[in-house]
Amino acid sequence: MSSTFPGSTALSGADALFSRLSASSTATTVVAPNLISEYEYSFYYRGLSEDPPQLLWRSDFDTNFFPMLKTALGIFNTCLNEVWGSTVAPRIIALLKMHGIKPSALKIARSLTVNEDARTETWGPDTIWIVVHPNTTKAADVRDAMPGILQILNDAQVYGAVVERYEGDV
């Protein structure tokens, strides 16, 4: 209950933003500078932590609409695990530096999306998270590096992985 307005429930900042964007006809329109909709930018990682980061770019943006609630888990027993530390991660870091991108972290995860109504669980693809220091990288910079990153994965025979970028100091 809100102490300011007895009998009413105060919305958190995220809930208020969610309500505003849900009602907005432009919330799902892709716009510069993020090259992703404001709704997806704000809520793509909702459910992963109490204070989730904002999505800045992902490689499967045009082929995979994002789920409303998902859980991030580790990646185990996949071909990405076998080549991550020895081949893929060092090559991605070198490529990012060639594009002027200074990552604060490079992580791998896999999401589990739960549809409570249908009582189903769906595993997402192996996902590489490129974490960049806040306010240092434009969405277009990472987007322009994507073909090279996807080629590194292809060369390592890692197929179907997704690359996402968000800001954070890790």
Side-chain angles (χ1 to χ4, degrees), residues 15-169:
D15 289 336
L17 179 61
F18 181 80
S19 294
R20 181 179 62 81
L21 291 177
S22 296
S24 170
S25 62
T26 61
T28 57
T29 303
V30 175
V31 294
N34 294 324
L35 306 174
I36 203 158
S37 74
E38 184 180 3
Y39 187 83
E40 189 164 0
Y41 170 82
S42 299
F43 295 104
Y44 185 79
Y45 290 118
R46 186 177 182 167
L48 297 184
S49 73
E50 288 183 24
D51 185 24
Q54 295 171 321
L55 174 69
L56 299 176
W57 185 254
R58 62 187 176 95
S59 62
D60 66 342
F61 169 74
D62 59 345
T63 60
N64 183 27
F65 185 73
F66 75 98
M68 291 305 294
L69 184 60
K70 59 185 178 180
T71 302
L73 302 168
I75 295 178
F76 305 100
N77 302 317
T78 71
C79 57
L80 180 56
N81 289 104
E82 296 173 18
V83 295
W84 179 249
S86 62
T87 307
V88 172
R91 287 184 63 198
I92 290 175
I93 290 169
L95 178 75
L96 292 172
K97 288 180 179 178
M98 284 177 32
H99 282 269
I101 300 166
K102 298 174 184 159
S104 65
L106 197 61
K107 303 177 179 187
I108 55 176
R110 194 166 182 204
S111 64
L112 177 66
T113 303
V114 177
N115 182 330
E116 292 179 359
D117 293 334
R119 296 184 178 171
T120 60
E121 297 179 341
T122 306
W123 283 100
D126 291 353
T127 303
I128 298 169
W129 285 339
I130 299 171
V131 187
V132 297
H133 295 284
N135 303 312
T136 62
T137 308
K138 295 178 183 159
D141 295 336
V142 175
R143 181 203 57 208
D144 294 345
M146 281 297 161
I149 294 170
L150 296 174
Q151 185 61 53
I152 290 168
L153 294 168
N154 190 56
D155 292 348
Q157 298 180 347
V158 175
Y159 307 109
V162 173
V163 182
E164 299 174 356
R165 171 193 153 235
Y166 66 89
E167 291 182 331
D169 288 316

